[in-house]
Amino acid sequence: MAEIIVPELAESITEGTIAQWLKKPGDTVEKGEFIVELETDKVNVEVISEEAGVVQEHLAAEGDTVQVGQVIAIVGAGSGAPAATPAAPVEAAAPAPAAPAPVVAVEEDASTSDRTIASPAARKMAREKGIDLAAVSPVDPMGRVRVQDVEAHGTAPKAQPAAVAPAASVVAQDDGRVTREKMTRRRQTIAKRLLEVKQSTAMLTTFNEIDMTNVMALRSRKKDQFFEQNDVRLGFMSFFTKAVVAALKKYPYVNAEIDGDEIILKNFFDIGVAISTDGGLVVPNVVDADRKNFAEIEGTIVELAKKARDNKLTMADMTGGSFTITNGGVFGSLMSTPIMNGTQVGILGMHTIQRRPVAIGDNIEIRPMMYVALSYDHRVIDGKDSVGFLKMVKELIENPEDLLLGS
């Protein structure tokens, strides 16, 4: 008999949600075969069976929260036939204990701060203020608690009870006109992270518009040759990624983050690309974008998008980004104010291309125009740098030959 145990998922991840059982009680499983899919804050992980045999029992149901190290299934010896007998009692036993057990485990885990990843400065402040680090909600996507998270924690508790109270009255008045569904773990994480960024940063957005005439003409001339040579299509994302990298090199504080009373300037250029999936928005990274050519950037984005939609992204794909690009234009957005990603201090928002009249010298011409937005943390970036950064991106896209020469 073998136990299926939730494995170590990542340094800062201590729990997950059972997304799907790939093997039911009574099914035969081979050694090394996937038995269950777990959903974590960032990625989905498939867990294998270490032994061959028959699945005898599920100790947690789909949708349950489970902890690292928790036993979630039992695999016994035999082939598919003997499983008919253990399958019947499982159905009777499963409903009662499955749901409450993970909830208790979460509460017990939350009371221990020794497993919380935190900076030394954050630990010191928490000790001085008597704050349990496990109760602090970090902005860092990897769960690392920083000084600003501890500072923000003091104001958070009073705001939450007020929000919870009305929910009870809504339940009482529910007359069938609404449908309630439990948020997925990923959606809960997205909601929490975005709210934390809004509450813990001095976020501001500056706008500009780009004449896309030249870059569209260049792309139209080169796209067939580019595809033949590289087996990947030439899109606008590679141009914007190249422009962003060049602007980050000139304005290094846009490629930074805050840790306590220190600013960390990043000497690498891992550009996050926001990708929409059925499970929510994910932001994998084009690592070392400054060292990649146009074809490598386009190929990496295509690969990451496929992995995102197939739930195959790894933690390595999702962590370590220094700046993010999001393109609401694929959904028709004309203008927006994107929210920064995690501890980053800047995000570029692209939007739909729209033909509209523009003054060119003394003449009015119809040009393909795109609004762009830079949301940034005003604690780190001053208006001069934010405007200069966005203006440089604009100039490089409007003169794409400069990007080609630079690469």
Side-chain angles (χ1 to χ4, degrees), residues 56-69:
Q56 293 186 344
E57 185 179 6
H58 288 169
L59 301 179
E62 292 182 358
D64 283 355
T65 298
V66 292
Q67 310 296 310
V68 169

Side-chain angles (χ1 to χ4, degrees), residues 242-311:
K242 282 288 187 182
V244 161
V245 168
L248 289 174
K249 289 180 178 180
K250 183 172 181 180
Y251 298 95
Y253 283 92
V254 185
N255 198 40
E257 69 175 75
I258 292 179
D259 185 11
D261 59 356
E262 296 179 334
I263 296 176
I264 300 174
L265 296 172
K266 300 172 183 176
N267 300 316
F268 59 89
F269 303 90
D270 294 352
I271 306 302
V273 179
I275 298 173
S276 177
T277 70
D278 292 339
L281 195 69
V282 293
V283 188
N285 300 306
V286 179
V287 178
D288 293 330
D290 57 317
R291 301 179 185 179
K292 288 181 167 61
N293 59 31
F294 280 75
E296 289 170 334
I297 291 173
E298 293 289 356
T300 300
I301 292 173
V302 169
E303 180 185 354
L304 291 172
K306 185 179 186 304
K307 289 172 70 175
R309 292 177 182 123
D310 292 343
N311 281 327

Side-chain angles (χ1 to χ4, degrees), residues 51-338:
E51 300 290 341
V54 175
V55 179
Q56 293 186 344
E57 185 179 6
H58 288 169
L59 301 179
E62 292 182 358
D64 283 355
T65 298
V66 292
Q67 310 296 310
V68 169
Q70 180 178 335
V71 179
I72 55 175
I74 303 295
V75 173
S79 57
T85 42
V90 170
E91 293 177 5
V103 178
V104 176
V106 173
E107 292 174 355
E108 291 173 355
D109 188 66
S111 64
T112 59
S113 60
D114 57 338
R115 297 181 66 179
T116 302
I117 309 300
S119 67
R123 288 189 178 277
K124 181 183 179 202
M125 179 175 288
R127 284 196 303 270
E128 292 173 348
K129 295 188 174 184
I131 294 175
D132 181 5
L133 281 174
V136 177
S137 297
V139 174
D140 191 328
M142 285 298 294
R144 181 181 174 87
V145 178
R146 301 175 185 274
V147 168
Q148 58 265 39
D149 300 322
V150 179
E151 291 175 339
H153 179 73
T155 58
K158 292 184 179 179
Q160 291 174 351
V164 174
S169 61
V170 173
V171 173
Q173 298 169 10
D174 187 358
D175 57 0
R177 292 186 297 173
V178 298
T179 300
R180 292 182 179 273
E181 61 179 38
K182 183 176 176 59
M183 295 171 70
T184 64
R185 172 170 292 275
R186 188 166 302 156
R187 175 54 59 187
Q188 291 178 49
T189 301
I190 291 171
K192 183 174 73 171
R193 297 285 187 252
L194 292 178
L195 184 60
E196 287 168 352
V197 168
K198 290 280 287 184
Q199 293 177 336
S200 63
T201 64
M203 194 174 74
L204 193 64
T205 305
T206 186
F207 301 91
N208 212 319
E209 61 178 350
I210 299 177
D211 184 345
M212 300 290 287
T213 301
N214 292 336
V215 72
M216 290 176 69
L218 176 61
R219 178 173 175 266
S220 180
R221 290 196 310 270
K222 298 292 185 181
K223 63 180 182 180
D224 293 337
Q225 178 185 349
F226 186 89
F227 183 76
E228 291 174 3
Q229 293 177 347
N230 303 290
D231 197 30
V232 66
R233 300 189 185 281
L234 178 61
F236 292 123
M237 282 302 300
S238 53
F239 287 96
F240 276 90
T241 301
K242 282 288 187 182
V244 161
V245 168
L248 289 174
K249 289 180 178 180
K250 183 172 181 180
Y251 298 95
Y253 283 92
V254 185
N255 198 40
E257 69 175 75
I258 292 179
D259 185 11
D261 59 356
E262 296 179 334
I263 296 176
I264 300 174
L265 296 172
K266 300 172 183 176
N267 300 316
F268 59 89
F269 303 90
D270 294 352
I271 306 302
V273 179
I275 298 173
S276 177
T277 70
D278 292 339
L281 195 69
V282 293
V283 188
N285 300 306
V286 179
V287 178
D288 293 330
D290 57 317
R291 301 179 185 179
K292 288 181 167 61
N293 59 31
F294 280 75
E296 289 170 334
I297 291 173
E298 293 289 356
T300 300
I301 292 173
V302 169
E303 180 185 354
L304 291 172
K306 185 179 186 304
K307 289 172 70 175
R309 292 177 182 123
D310 292 343
N311 281 327
K312 300 297 183 184
L313 288 171
T314 65
M315 291 303 298
D317 294 323
M318 302 286 289
T319 56
S322 60
F323 186 88
T324 296
I325 302 174
T326 181
N327 185 6
V330 296
F331 304 110
S333 173
L334 183 62
M335 185 180 291
S336 66
T337 55

